[in-house]
Amino acid sequence: MQIILAGGIENPILIDQYLQGVEVEVDAICDGEDILMPGIMEHIERAGVHSGDSIAVYPAWNLSGFVAQRIIGATRSIALELHTVGLVNIQYVIFHNEIYVIEANPRASRTIPYISKVTGVPMVDLAVRAMMGEKLSEMGYGTGLYKQSPYYAVKVPAFSFEKLQDVDTHLGPEMKSTGEALGIGSTLEEAMYKGLVAAGYGMRRDGGMFMTVCDADKAEAVDTARRYLSLGLSLYATPGTAQVLVNHGLSAAVVRREMVENMLSLGNIRYILSTSSKGRATDRVSVKIRRMALERAIPVFTSLDTANALANALISGYTQSSIELVDINHMRKERQSLRFIKMRGTGNDYIFFDCFDQPVISPSSLSVQLSDRRKSIGGEGIILIEPSSCADAYMRVFNADGSESQMAGNAIRCVAKYLYESGRVQDTCMTIQTKAGLRKLNLFLRDDIVVSVQVDMGMPIFTPSDIPVLLDGERAVNRVMRLAGEDRMVTCLSMGNPHVIQFVQDVSRVRLPVLGPAIENDRQFPERVNVSFATLLNRNVLKARVWERGIGETWGCGTGACAIAVAAVECGLCDKDTYITVRLIGGELVIRYTKDGHVFMSGDVRKDYMGVIEV
């Protein structure tokens, strides 16, 4: 096997190019005859950044199978050629699918404790046993590449720049980090999010990003800017960088260098991307900008790769309330197989888990992972069907962002369908427990298949403090509120979940992708709110669109349809004790708001498929 030593490359142009390659790191144990590799770690930042200052990910996520196989072979050859007995650490650069060796160290590395915990391989113990004469083949862990852990692990460096005066925060070949944090998760995005939070990153999704990048990075920085724009952040940039962004159709406010300090003092900038590395003298403008940001506790990225990693973690949707709490001393050794059912009611689709005989660990984190429509099953969230001491079953609802809801009108009909058709409940009248209370359901069958379900949704709540909404008075009906920059006549009520409803002339023209998140997260709604806009077609038919908290615009929302119909009655647009049809994107729901104050909802239910997923 040909092994290329990166330090032996004499052409300075080629050296500069290979430093743009992917850096991977391998810790292995050698007994003089064979090796054991717990795994391959890949660095987020390219090879120009010291390994101690790079974010390292296990297992490597970006290597092709044949490159990984060549790394295993090269590691074995180097370890044996060096007559290593014990631990060895080797760092490689992968450039144009060729492997270059940066360094090979016959010793332990700082990553040994991390890789041992994550993989379950006691590397120090095995290395000592090898040094005492035992063979790896006799230790019970095999040789070659060890089986992959069911978790991703991300090691994020921590810095203490605020304690060092006049030191540039730009990352390069010399190591500057003073500590490390570890994030462990079922997905790369979750592990990355946890590692970044542990290392002190604020993980904000508001405000703006200031960009000033060198000419070599400008083209690639456009995609980075798009990521932060997609999160809702505003872009600010120095003239040269701003011009490149504008040329690619992105909106960026120009900030001249003499204005930077004032802009940073305003407190709206959440992140700074500054990649200029030509000259690190303290009087250079780029260095001054990075130091000003440090003094204001604003995260500064000096590598596009780090900025992209943080953006991807934010885009994934994880929050500190939805990540899995992993006990590092009792980690799973294998992936867990879960049986699921995909069902929908009026276009509102969820992933259902029967928890009568299978446990679901960390449902908040699992909901974020599985609701992704590109990378997983896809849905509005997950539903757990659990045993109940006071009803036929207990329904728990987790939205796509991992938050737990009190109630889901379309999902509860699907739960009833599953309970009947699976044989767990052999009655067309059943009671299901929710966080909003007990709900009674009547099932309608065709050829012993549940095709429709009516739910007694209980009584609406109008008291502002119980919805909750920050309004005075006894009822929140037909009230003027300042929302999304306008005074709006709205009705607020709870159907187990908080709702705000505005009636408009043409619901199709509402800019729901803009208004929905703005109103959902308005501070007047302490627990966020479901946002509905509706148009009255006649006294028995309403057309509506719903922005559901934690999900976004939904094809169907059961509690939303109930809230819209109730609001229409309370505002004098419809009549009590009549059948009101609410038309949503995914279909129609029939609502009856009775004179005694109860709300009944009827709608279709469908089972799309059943399956097993490994998590």
Side-chain angles (χ1 to χ4, degrees):
M1 172 182 293
Q2 181 187 18
I3 298 175
I4 303 175
L5 300 179
I9 299 175
E10 296 180 356
N11 186 335
I13 296 177
L14 184 55
I15 291 177
D16 186 58
Q17 288 179 338
Y18 101 80
L19 286 177
Q20 295 298 307
V22 175
E23 183 172 352
V24 299
E25 189 170 348
V26 173
D27 287 298
I29 307 166
C30 186
D31 63 5
E33 296 181 3
D34 213 334
I35 65 166
L36 171 62
M37 291 173 50
I40 301 173
M41 290 198 307
E42 182 176 346
H43 294 179
I44 292 292
E45 292 82 4
R46 276 160 273 196
V49 176
H50 190 283
S51 62
D53 292 346
S54 296
I55 299 174
V57 178
Y58 164 86
W61 81 99
N62 201 29
L63 296 182
S64 62
F66 81 90
V67 170
Q69 196 62 41
R70 290 180 64 194
I71 289 173
I72 297 170
T75 301
R76 186 177 188 277
S77 297
I78 293 172
L80 294 180
E81 190 67 26
L82 292 175
H83 303 292
T84 305
V85 179
L87 292 167
V88 61
N89 170 266
I90 305 177
Q91 296 178 30
Y92 300 94
V93 171
I94 313 302
F95 181 63
H96 290 170
N97 292 308
E98 187 58 82
I99 300 173
Y100 298 85
V101 179
I102 299 177
E103 55 181 307
N105 304 296
R107 57 163 173 77
S109 73
R110 72 175 66 83
T111 56
I112 289 294
Y114 294 104
I115 206 73
S116 296
K117 283 290 187 182
V118 175
T119 63
V121 178
M123 296 191 67
V124 172
D125 178 54
L126 300 186
V128 171
R129 289 168 64 183
M131 294 168 71
M132 296 297 291
E134 281 192 65
K135 297 301 177 185
L136 288 169
S137 59
E138 301 170 355
M139 297 184 194
Y141 291 87
T143 58
L145 186 64
Y146 190 65
K147 64 180 180 180
Q148 186 169 308
S149 166
Y151 296 98
Y152 279 89
V154 175
K155 178 179 71 69
V156 182
F159 302 90
S160 302
F161 289 123
E162 68 277 3
K163 299 178 181 178
L164 305 172
Q165 292 185 353
D166 299 329
V167 173
D168 186 13
T169 63
H170 192 282
L171 301 182
E174 68 277 17
M175 181 174 166
K176 297 181 178 180
S177 64
T178 54
E180 295 164 325
L182 179 65
I184 299 175
S186 297
T187 66
L188 172 59
E189 293 80 10
E190 182 183 18
M192 184 69 70
Y193 183 92
K194 293 168 77 172
L196 290 167
V197 168
Y201 288 86
M203 308 304 284
R204 300 287 295 270
R205 291 180 170 89
D206 62 342
M209 167 176 260
F210 173 62
M211 301 178 64
T212 173
V213 299
C214 60
D215 291 341
D217 291 333
K218 281 186 168 62
E220 196 174 345
V222 173
D223 284 337
T224 303
R226 284 199 179 99
R227 285 181 167 92
Y228 284 90
L229 275 176
S230 72
L231 288 164
L233 275 75
S234 301
L235 293 182
Y236 304 88
T238 47
T241 301
Q243 187 60 57
V244 173
L245 298 178
V246 171
N247 290 344
H248 284 81
L250 305 182
S251 176
V254 177
V255 179
R256 301 194 178 279
R257 294 188 186 276
E258 60 270 18
M259 301 163 52
V260 171
E261 185 169 4
N262 288 335
M263 182 193 65
L264 296 184
S265 299
L266 294 175
N268 188 47
I269 300 300
R270 304 301 183 203
Y271 308 103
I272 291 179
L273 176 60
S274 173
T275 67
S276 175
S277 61
K278 289 185 177 179
R280 311 277 177 84
T282 56
D283 59 345
R284 289 189 63 86
V285 175
S286 58
V287 178
K288 287 182 177 179
I289 290 174
R290 293 193 281 266
R291 290 301 305 185
M292 282 190 290
L294 180 65
E295 293 164 4
R296 292 162 177 78
I298 302 172
V300 179
F301 307 115
T302 61
S303 164
L304 292 173
D305 303 313
T306 315
N308 289 334
L310 187 139
N312 291 339
L314 291 174
I315 291 169
S316 69
Y318 287 102
T319 65
Q320 291 192 52
S321 60
S322 67
I323 51 179
E324 178 184 358
L325 180 62
V326 178
D327 184 347
I328 199 168
N329 293 311
H330 299 91
M331 294 171 62
R332 289 183 283 118
K333 303 297 183 183
E334 306 287 345
R335 289 188 174 274
Q336 181 185 15
S337 294
L338 292 175
R339 301 184 305 279
F340 70 90
I341 311 97
K342 184 75 182 295
M343 292 187 283
R344 55 192 163 98
T346 320
N348 208 189
D349 62 330
Y350 286 91
I351 305 158
F352 296 78
F353 293 97
D354 182 340
C355 297
F356 277 75
D357 54 10
Q358 68 175 354
V360 171
I361 300 170
S362 186
S364 291
S365 170
L366 188 65
S367 189
V368 176
Q369 178 184 348
L370 300 187
S371 297
D372 192 308
R373 297 188 185 276
R374 287 187 177 273
K375 299 179 181 178
S376 192
I377 301 169
E380 312 265 24
I382 69 171
I383 307 293
L384 305 188
I385 307 172
E386 300 178 343
S388 169
S389 60
C390 60
D392 293 301
Y394 177 34
M395 178 184 78
R396 296 183 67 192
V397 182
F398 293 87
N399 297 320
D401 69 347
S403 60
E404 186 170 5
S405 281
Q406 289 82 7
M407 178 61 184
N410 289 322
I412 198 171
R413 301 199 314 275
C414 294
V415 170
K417 176 182 174 71
Y418 171 78
L419 291 172
Y420 181 84
E421 294 180 1
S422 66
R424 289 207 179 274
V425 179
Q426 297 181 325
D427 194 337
T428 57
C429 297
M430 61 180 68
T431 303
I432 296 176
Q433 180 186 1
T434 73
K435 282 189 173 290
L438 297 177
R439 295 292 183 262
K440 295 181 179 180
L441 302 94
N442 292 313
L443 285 60
F444 304 101
L445 310 181
R446 185 180 303 148
D447 299 326
D448 212 33
I449 299 296
V450 180
V451 295
S452 180
V453 177
Q454 182 188 68
V455 188
D456 181 351
M457 297 289 288
M459 302 176 72
I461 297 171
F462 297 103
T463 307
S465 60
D466 294 332
I467 294 173
V469 57
L470 301 182
L471 287 174
D472 55 10
E474 295 182 359
R475 286 163 58 88
V477 177
N478 258 354
R479 302 288 296 272
V480 175
M481 295 184 69
R482 186 73 177 177
L483 298 170
E486 292 183 22
D487 289 333
R488 302 174 184 273
M489 183 69 74
V490 299
T491 293
C492 302
L493 61 101
S494 172
M495 288 300 310
N497 296 325
H499 292 269
V500 58
I501 303 99
Q502 181 180 359
F503 293 99
V504 296
Q505 287 189 341
D506 184 0
V507 72
S508 302
R509 301 180 65 180
V510 172
R511 297 179 302 138
L512 195 57
V514 176
L515 299 179
I519 298 175
E520 174 196 350
N521 296 290
D522 192 285
R523 293 182 179 179
Q524 297 175 89
F525 301 102
E527 297 178 8
R528 297 187 296 168
V529 70
N530 295 287
V531 185
S532 297
F533 291 89
T535 298
L536 181 71
L537 301 182
N538 59 58
R539 293 191 75 85
N540 291 94
V541 181
L542 294 157
K543 182 179 180 181
R545 291 171 65 190
V546 180
W547 180 275
E548 200 164 352
R549 62 174 181 171
I551 295 175
E553 183 169 11
T554 179
W555 279 31
C557 178
T559 60
C562 293
I564 292 164
V566 169
V569 171
E570 294 291 335
C571 294
L573 303 176
C574 298
D575 302 311
K576 266 191 176 181
D577 237 353
T578 60
Y579 292 98
I580 301 171
T581 298
V582 180
R583 293 179 180 173
L584 301 159
I585 297 174
E588 298 181 348
L589 287 169
V590 178
I591 313 297
R592 185 163 62 94
Y593 182 23
T594 64
K595 291 179 180 179
D596 66 359
H598 275 253
V599 180
F600 291 86
M601 174 188 64
S602 300
D604 68 311
V605 283
R606 300 176 186 274
K607 180 172 70 176
D608 291 324
Y609 56 87
M610 303 174 68
V612 177
I613 189 166
E614 287 190 347
V615 296

